[in-house]
Amino acid sequence: MEKNIVLLPGDGIGPEVVGQAVRVLEAAASAAGASLNFTERLLGGCSIDRFGTAMTDETLADCQKADAVLLGAVGGPKWDDPQAKVRPEQGLLGLRKGLSVFANLRPVRVHPALVSASPLKPERLAGVDLIVVRELTGGLYFGQPKGRQMVDGHEQAVDTLVYTDEEIRRVVRLAFRFAQQRRKKVTSVDKANVLESSRLWRKVAVEVAAEFPDVALEHMLVDTASMRLVSSPAAIDVLVTENMFGDILTDEASVLAGSMGMLPSASLGEGGAGLYEPIHGSAPDIAGKGIANPLGTILSTALLLRYSLNLPEAAARIEAAVDRVISDGLRTVDLGGSLSSKQMTDEVLARLN
């Protein structure tokens, strides 16, 4: 089996963690009898510097033809001007839209050996194993009209929150399918007491729930959900929500695992190339030092193997190797240890083999 993977290392620590993760991906895929062809392209700030745009048409075309895309991180102080017409994040948003990946999956599992790394009390972390399913291509980030104008002598900014019933249905339905394979509970997060889009979201969630009689559905306002994520996270199985709420809640959920460097993500659509990336940013303060935690990116390659290449056993081997590394007390700097990115990856490979 031969598969084509596009690598988008991006900015900051992105090239470092992607480079290490590819070592693990190649080893796991090879052991499963798969041959991977890698193509590297620019995305984000590095693409702006080279081409004047955060993503070229050629890069998007390559990603659309690939079996999967592995991304590092985009952005950094060099391009951090909110007034700039071209920003690194435009490449990421355009890539998601161009690949039609409408659902972002962020699994959050607290390893027993890392409980002390989280700011939460240990008793609140017991049994935490949840997935956040975030709608990725609709809502405020993409709604039109959008922009600024002068009204009665004052500058006015407009962002439009738009969802169709089908956009909601497809991501909620995916959340229910995941719940069927887990603890059979979906928490749908909205702001139905205020927003008309959330009232539609809640209506559609009820309709989808009727298709899955074996899965329980609960509705939760986003402000309540933000509290529950830190007060009783173990009660959540699959949480599904719209784009901006999901953007915020997934970053909040990352503190449960002790470090953003630990968490992977997968962005999926109806077939086509999936997009895989760690949830952390470009971390420009440590870029080039070789100390970034590669585990979030390595675990993202496990999701790539599972969802895009249909190699669940190879994915499970990577996840088990990472578990053993953590259980054996090995740590990068963000977790209070001293291992470099390469040394941590070497340890994962030793346990993978």
Side-chain angles (χ1 to χ4, degrees), residues 78 150 179 191:
K78 182 178 180 180
M150 296 301 295
K191 191 65 175 172

Side-chain angles (χ1 to χ4, degrees), residues 44-162:
C46 57
S47 180
I48 293 173
D49 289 349
R50 178 79 176 271
F51 303 111
T53 180
M55 179 179 65
T56 66
D57 292 341
E58 292 77 13
T59 292
L60 178 58
D62 285 341
C63 292
Q64 290 170 329
K65 290 182 292 187
D67 294 292
V69 179
L70 180 63
L71 170 68
V74 299
K78 182 178 180 180
W79 311 279
D80 195 16
D81 177 8
Q83 308 299 325
K85 292 183 178 180
V86 182
R87 291 178 51 80
E89 295 79 8
Q90 293 169 347
L92 183 55
L93 293 176
L95 180 64
R96 291 168 177 169
K97 200 77 170 180
L99 293 178
S100 298
V101 287
F102 60 81
N104 178 247
L105 314 180
R106 293 195 179 183
V108 180
R109 185 170 63 89
V110 179
H111 195 291
L114 290 179
V115 166
S116 62
S118 172
L120 270 65
K121 295 179 180 178
E123 56 268 26
R124 298 215 173 150
L125 298 173
V128 171
D129 183 1
L130 62 92
I131 292 181
V132 179
V133 182
R134 166 192 170 192
E135 200 289 323
L136 206 55
T137 57
L140 273 175
Y141 297 166
F142 293 97
Q144 296 296 331
K146 181 190 297 285
R148 296 187 188 184
Q149 59 185 344
M150 296 301 295
V151 178
D152 297 330
H154 296 279
E155 189 174 14
Q156 181 187 77
V158 175
D159 292 290
T160 303
L161 173 51
V162 177

Side-chain angles (χ1 to χ4, degrees), residues 4-319:
N4 296 313
I5 312 297
V6 171
L7 304 177
L8 302 173
D11 307 313
I13 62 171
E16 299 169 51
V17 293
V18 167
Q20 296 303 322
V22 165
R23 298 171 59 205
V24 179
L25 174 59
E26 280 192 296
S30 177
S35 175
L36 304 183
N37 297 320
F38 294 100
T39 302
E40 186 171 320
R41 293 290 180 261
L42 301 181
L43 184 84
C46 57
S47 180
I48 293 173
D49 289 349
R50 178 79 176 271
F51 303 111
T53 180
M55 179 179 65
T56 66
D57 292 341
E58 292 77 13
T59 292
L60 178 58
D62 285 341
C63 292
Q64 290 170 329
K65 290 182 292 187
D67 294 292
V69 179
L70 180 63
L71 170 68
V74 299
K78 182 178 180 180
W79 311 279
D80 195 16
D81 177 8
Q83 308 299 325
K85 292 183 178 180
V86 182
R87 291 178 51 80
E89 295 79 8
Q90 293 169 347
L92 183 55
L93 293 176
L95 180 64
R96 291 168 177 169
K97 200 77 170 180
L99 293 178
S100 298
V101 287
F102 60 81
N104 178 247
L105 314 180
R106 293 195 179 183
V108 180
R109 185 170 63 89
V110 179
H111 195 291
L114 290 179
V115 166
S116 62
S118 172
L120 270 65
K121 295 179 180 178
E123 56 268 26
R124 298 215 173 150
L125 298 173
V128 171
D129 183 1
L130 62 92
I131 292 181
V132 179
V133 182
R134 166 192 170 192
E135 200 289 323
L136 206 55
T137 57
L140 273 175
Y141 297 166
F142 293 97
Q144 296 296 331
K146 181 190 297 285
R148 296 187 188 184
Q149 59 185 344
M150 296 301 295
V151 178
D152 297 330
H154 296 279
E155 189 174 14
Q156 181 187 77
V158 175
D159 292 290
T160 303
L161 173 51
V162 177
Y163 270 111
T164 66
D165 58 348
E166 185 51 35
E167 285 177 315
I168 299 167
R169 184 170 285 108
R170 63 187 182 180
V171 72
V172 172
R173 188 175 282 141
L174 183 64
F176 271 85
R177 289 174 184 155
F178 277 108
Q180 279 186 316
Q181 303 165 24
R182 294 169 50 88
R183 303 199 306 273
K184 294 181 167 50
K185 180 183 176 183
V186 169
T187 301
S188 177
V189 173
D190 58 40
K191 191 65 175 172
N193 59 335
V194 175
L195 299 177
E196 197 61 40
S197 60
S198 282
R199 295 184 188 111
L200 177 61
W201 185 283
R202 187 169 291 206
K203 173 180 178 287
V204 173
V206 170
E207 293 170 355
V208 172
E211 304 172 17
F212 299 85
D214 57 329
V215 178
L217 168 66
E218 69 171 346
H219 303 287
M220 192 175 292
L221 296 176
V222 64
D223 32 1
T224 302
S226 66
M227 292 187 291
R228 293 283 179 84
L229 267 176
V230 293
S231 62
S232 52
I236 298 173
D237 181 20
V238 178
L239 185 155
V240 62
T241 191
E242 61 100 63
N243 203 341
M244 187 177 72
F245 294 162
D247 194 1
I248 296 167
L249 291 176
T250 49
D251 279 359
E252 180 188 9
S254 71
V255 305
L256 301 174
S259 170
M260 293 183 77
M262 288 295 300
L263 297 182
S265 78
S267 298
L268 307 175
E270 299 285 1
L275 173 63
Y276 302 87
E277 59 182 306
I279 75 161
H280 60 68
S282 61
D285 56 319
I286 61 170
K289 297 181 179 180
I291 60 173
N293 187 345
L295 295 183
T297 316
I298 290 171
L299 290 171
S300 295
T301 69
L303 300 181
L304 185 158
L305 288 166
R306 178 174 289 116
Y307 296 126
S308 283
L309 304 191
N310 194 28
L311 294 172
E313 292 182 0
R317 289 184 63 220
I318 290 178
E319 290 161 347

